[in-house]
Amino acid sequence: MEQTRIDESLKQVCREIAGEEASSNVGKVRSASAARFAESGFPHRKHEAWKYTNLNALLRDATTDEQHDFGSVPQWCYTVSDVCLVFVDGEYREDLSNLPELAGVSIENSRTSPALVESLKGKDAATDLHSVADLALASSEHGGVIRVTADFDSTKPIAVVELTSGAKVQHSLWHSMVCEANSKAEVLYVQQGTSGTSVLANSLLSVHVQANAQVDVTKVQFGTSGTLHVDSTVIHQERDSRAKLVTITTGGKRRNNVYMGLGGEGAHSDLSGLTLGSGSAHIDNNTVVDHTVPHCTSSELYKTVVGGKAHAVFSGKVFVREHAQKTEAYQSNRNILLSDDARATSIPQLEIFADDVRCSHGSTTGQLDEEAIFYLRSRGLSHDKARALMLHSFAAEVVEHISNEHIAETVLQAVEQQLATM
Amino acid sequence: MSALLDVKNLTAGIEGKTILNGLNLTVNPGEVHAIMGPNGAGKSTLSSVLAGREDFEVTGGSAEFDGKDLFDLDPEERACEGLFVAFQYPVEIPGVSTTNFLRTALNEQRKYRGESPLDAMDFLATMKEKMKVVEISKDLTSRSLNEGFSGGEKKRNEIFQLAMLEPKLAILDETDSGLDIDALKTVANGVNTLKNENNAFIVITHYQRLLNYIVPDFVHVLHEGKIVKSGDKSLALELEEKGYDWIKDEVVA
């Protein structure tokens, strides 16, 4: 079996962390996660959920570049937000961040902050928290801690920006968020990689949404060839809470893990994703929506446009546990292939153990509808214009899920720019 | 006055099979032509070939549209030159609203003709006016193009597009098929309102019923890929009464 140096050295790091004496809660969580990662390392391809993404293989030629630039924080991240937390190679950059004295948001040490662990409530239910999330729990140095109280009153989202310079072969980050009962908050989470190197950026966002709280998370993931992004989102919802996660990915090499746990009656989850991949992009979205109690609803829509030799994977599992009667769960995956060599792999899975539920899933993969293009041409649109209009509309359906109109507008522009090159 | 459409000895087919077999048709501005014929006569092939559908191959003859060689033009160029086909089966296009699509189409056509694009206000004003013509609701124009539309709504949407784009020549390809009498009247009423001395219509139909409401100047019978008989509107009534068999017999004889 092939093992790269990164995998082995990370296991060694985790072995050491696991050996440290842990007395606090957070210490215990770290230590347990470290022990698990030290045992398993990166997920093996034999693991069904990782069949199409072999981290060891993708990092075989890992190279760093000390001189490399991390680029710059997209200006719009500052303008749409009140709070903007910027991390470069896993380190918090106060000089680039905007963190006013605002109750609820802080940067804390991952080793000691009890707040981080609080967001993981219910994690035991997430039986298959991937080992990469364990790695983030174990080895993150510090991360953003967001506590949203019921009186938190900002119309602007909290922004988290992660940049990679290529100077470090790997880094992990763990951010956590607790949305207290009856609160409402929005998070914009932007990730941008680098080119010319081959490094790993591993991140985890854990969110605990308490009773009747509402949270909107928008992830904007700009693709670059030099960074392998592994991103995990774990959200636990209590009674009557509403959580929305929109993930927009414009390319690169990436694996996204999403776990949505509906653990309180009356909770609603809304997941959507748009993946655009060209060149040799590899984008693997793995989602789990877990209905554990009655009367919850979830809806999931993932769309993909791939060209070149890109490969996109959508693997979406919906669990309806035995007691989760009256569940309504809908899942849809739509893929457009723009070239002969582009691939889309779709693995929808429903596992239903309750008998009084309404669930559906659907998956389609195909080329742009030539009949539709002809129809548009017959009204005066050129072939290119017709194609662009159809791709725009296909993508816009996901972008429209973004609640914040300023973010939606900016994202739509970025999406259009990307589509124009495909 | 020169003809708007002049089709001479047209032969065309699909996958090597000849369907149109020496078709002649001349349409002048201000005229309404009805083309009738039994299933398989070549009605749909005719509209497909004129619209520029790529899977059909023109093997002989010519078609001049407003002085230009029609077969030299791409489908979008034909549209910009003023040709419009109301399709028998309009395509559903999820995510594209009728409004957004029509603004794009209209402005593309204006650009082709060297005109400046309509601004949003003017466009909406035009739309409001034309919506009345075909009795189409705002609800329908804001929805995705044809998606989940009933048969009648799709056909009305075609006529609405026709009203917005103001073509020189409109071909209605079995627009009446599958329509109930109320929808049929709405469609016919739209066409009658839009008809003027500068434009022309070709109404392709299987049934005489539509011609009670859109009165043609000429009726042609299509059989085995060519027009075998032409007359005035009374020919349509005769066909309704006797069916197509007597035409076939007449041709054979």
Side-chain angles (χ1 to χ4, degrees):
Chain A
M1 194 175 84
E2 192 165 345
Q3 288 290 357
T4 66
R5 241 170 47 85
I6 295 182
D7 192 35
E8 282 308 320
S9 64
L10 286 172
K11 280 162 85 169
Q12 183 53 36
V13 168
C14 284
R15 239 170 256 132
E16 281 162 24
I17 294 170
E20 288 168 14
E21 197 181 326
S23 52
S24 65
N25 251 348
V26 66
K28 282 175 188 156
V29 167
R30 271 171 70 86
S31 156
S33 290
R36 282 196 298 269
F37 187 84
E39 178 68 29
S40 67
F42 286 144
H44 195 274
R45 290 186 72 162
K46 279 189 272 187
H47 189 328
E48 186 61 32
W50 291 83
K51 195 171 168 186
Y52 298 98
T53 301
N54 183 342
L55 297 180
N56 278 323
L58 285 165
L59 287 165
R60 189 175 292 140
D61 302 316
T63 49
T64 56
D65 182 354
E66 300 267 333
Q67 305 305 314
H68 221 279
D69 197 5
F70 57 83
S72 59
V73 179
Q75 190 56 39
W76 61 275
C77 295
Y78 295 117
T79 50
V80 298
S81 66
D82 278 334
V83 179
C84 186
L85 309 177
V86 178
F87 297 80
V88 177
D89 296 338
E91 282 169 35
Y92 178 60
R93 289 287 295 263
E94 198 176 353
D95 55 328
L96 299 173
S97 299
N98 180 17
L99 180 52
E101 293 284 318
L102 181 88
V105 181
S106 57
I107 299 298
E108 302 198 15
N109 187 316
S110 304
R111 290 194 170 82
T112 54
S113 167
L116 279 166
V117 183
E118 214 181 314
S119 68
L120 281 173
K121 197 175 168 207
K123 174 178 153 299
D124 290 346
T127 45
D128 62 0
L129 193 65
H130 298 287
S131 71
V132 287
D134 274 326
L135 177 65
L137 288 170
S139 70
S140 159
E141 286 296 322
H142 46 211
V145 171
I146 301 165
R147 172 175 289 279
V148 189
T149 55
D151 56 3
F152 177 80
D153 182 26
S154 174
T155 51
K156 286 188 171 181
I158 296 156
V160 178
V161 179
E162 285 175 18
L163 307 175
T164 307
S165 76
K168 275 167 78 174
V169 72
Q170 68 85 26
H171 71 260
S172 277
L173 259 176
W174 170 23
H175 303 297
S176 82
M177 185 170 186
V178 173
C179 306
E180 291 189 357
N182 302 311
S183 67
K184 182 176 189 290
E186 240 179 290
V187 173
L188 166 67
Y189 197 134
V190 177
Q191 289 175 331
Q192 192 170 282
T194 181
S195 52
T197 61
S198 173
V199 298
L200 168 69
N202 179 38
S203 48
L204 167 66
L205 171 68
S206 52
V207 185
H208 184 216
V209 196
Q210 296 178 357
N212 205 36
Q214 183 182 339
V215 64
D216 279 21
V217 179
T218 302
K219 294 201 159 189
V220 183
Q221 309 175 328
F222 294 110
T224 41
S225 56
T227 307
L228 169 63
H229 282 279
V230 178
D231 184 63
S232 304
T233 311
V234 177
I235 299 179
H236 279 282
Q237 293 184 243
E238 306 252 334
R239 199 183 170 95
D240 300 322
S241 63
R242 287 153 329 273
K244 188 196 265 189
L245 174 66
V246 185
T247 307
I248 310 288
T249 311
T250 63
K253 290 186 166 45
R254 157 177 298 278
R255 162 68 178 227
N256 289 322
N257 302 311
V258 174
Y259 176 87
M260 287 281 228
L262 293 110
E265 293 191 11
H268 175 69
S269 293
D270 185 336
L271 267 88
S272 53
L274 173 67
T275 296
L276 309 178
S278 54
S280 59
H282 175 95
I283 299 153
D284 182 347
N285 279 293
N286 182 285
T287 70
V288 175
V289 176
D290 194 0
H291 286 263
T292 57
V293 297
H295 294 290
C296 289
T297 52
S298 66
S299 91
E300 183 173 12
L301 171 68
Y302 271 75
K303 289 183 142 186
T304 304
V305 182
V306 273
K309 291 181 171 170
H311 184 197
V313 181
F314 170 77
S315 166
K317 196 175 260 188
V318 177
F319 284 112
V320 181
R321 308 282 179 187
E322 194 183 344
H323 300 293
Q325 300 293 2
K326 305 287 181 191
T327 289
E328 277 187 41
Y330 304 105
Q331 184 195 76
S332 169
N333 175 224
R334 310 256 171 263
N335 306 303
I336 291 181
L337 306 174
L338 295 178
S339 68
D340 290 342
D341 292 328
R343 278 197 296 158
T345 304
S346 180
I347 311 164
Q349 288 166 284
L350 289 183
E351 294 197 21
I352 303 174
F353 301 97
D355 54 12
D356 185 12
V357 299
R358 290 166 81 172
C359 298
S360 72
H361 63 138
S363 168
T364 56
T365 299
Q367 290 159 337
L368 271 181
D369 182 357
E370 282 298 326
E371 267 298 296
I373 288 181
F374 174 76
Y375 186 78
L376 295 174
R377 290 179 76 191
S378 78
R379 299 301 182 245
L381 278 70
S382 66
H383 192 283
D384 285 353
K385 196 103 187 173
R387 184 178 179 274
L389 180 65
M390 289 187 57
L391 287 176
H392 166 93
S393 306
F394 181 80
E397 193 193 355
V398 175
V399 178
E400 280 162 12
H401 281 245
I402 300 173
S403 316
N404 184 293
E405 60 183 83
H406 300 295
I407 298 175
E409 210 173 287
T410 309
V411 166
L412 195 59
Q413 276 173 19
V415 163
E416 274 176 352
Q417 262 175 29
Q418 181 61 29
L419 285 174
T421 68
M422 291 177 68
Chain B
M1 192 167 51
S2 65
L4 192 51
L5 179 71
D6 197 4
V7 180
K8 286 201 179 100
N9 205 23
L10 177 63
T11 57
I14 188 166
E15 289 164 358
K17 189 180 159 208
T18 299
I19 298 173
L20 296 182
N21 196 7
L23 185 136
N24 292 293
L25 178 67
T26 303
V27 178
N28 293 303
E31 293 176 351
V32 176
H33 291 246
I35 296 180
M36 304 185 70
N39 287 329
K43 299 195 297 291
S44 289
T45 301
L46 177 61
S47 72
S48 294
V49 167
L50 294 179
R53 214 178 261 282
E54 273 153 11
D55 26 0
F56 287 86
E57 200 192 348
V58 175
T59 48
S62 65
E64 233 176 57
F65 177 63
D66 208 15
K68 292 200 166 70
D69 179 358
L70 190 68
F71 299 139
D72 209 23
L73 303 173
D74 284 333
E76 59 268 31
E77 291 171 323
R78 299 180 193 192
C80 292
E81 290 288 345
L83 178 71
F84 181 94
V85 178
F87 291 105
Q88 186 177 3
Y89 303 110
V91 182
E92 298 193 5
I93 308 186
V96 179
S97 76
T98 301
T99 307
N100 188 11
F101 149 69
L102 268 177
R103 189 164 49 217
T104 311
L106 192 60
N107 283 332
E108 286 295 297
Q109 294 204 9
R110 290 177 69 94
K111 193 164 86 186
Y112 181 91
R113 296 193 295 259
E115 297 162 13
S116 60
L118 270 191
D119 67 34
M121 292 293 280
D122 288 342
F123 174 78
L124 287 175
T126 311
M127 220 173 86
K128 216 168 169 180
E129 179 199 323
K130 305 290 185 181
M131 277 163 72
K132 279 190 209 137
V133 174
V134 288
E135 299 166 36
I136 202 165
S137 72
K138 198 158 175 275
D139 171 56
L140 222 55
T141 57
S142 60
R143 273 160 59 188
S144 285
L145 189 54
N146 294 324
E147 194 184 33
F149 285 24
S150 69
E153 285 171 337
K154 282 182 184 166
K155 300 295 175 74
R156 254 192 297 161
N157 196 340
E158 293 290 283
I159 305 302
F160 174 56
Q161 292 173 32
L162 194 165
M164 287 297 294
L165 298 171
E166 298 181 317
K168 292 177 197 149
L169 175 65
I171 300 169
L172 273 53
D173 185 4
E174 303 210 19
T175 300
D176 53 332
S177 294
L179 286 192
D180 64 43
I181 191 71
D182 291 332
L184 187 77
K185 280 182 185 167
T186 311
V187 164
N189 195 24
V191 171
N192 289 330
T193 313
L194 298 167
K195 188 171 79 172
N196 63 43
E197 69 219 10
N198 299 315
N199 63 21
F201 288 82
I202 298 174
V203 181
I204 298 176
T205 181
H206 192 73
Y207 310 102
Q208 186 275 334
R209 190 178 61 152
L210 177 65
L211 306 180
N212 290 335
Y213 303 97
I214 302 174
V215 181
D217 301 303
F218 303 93
V219 174
H220 311 279
V221 180
L222 189 62
H223 176 62
E224 289 180 349
K226 58 176 113 179
I227 286 167
V228 292
K229 197 173 176 70
S230 298
D232 61 14
K233 61 184 177 182
S234 62
L235 178 58
L237 292 169
E238 205 173 344
L239 285 168
E240 177 79 356
E241 198 182 318
K242 300 184 185 171
Y244 288 106
D245 285 347
W246 68 277
I247 297 276
K248 290 180 192 170
D249 296 343
E250 198 168 87
V251 172
V252 174

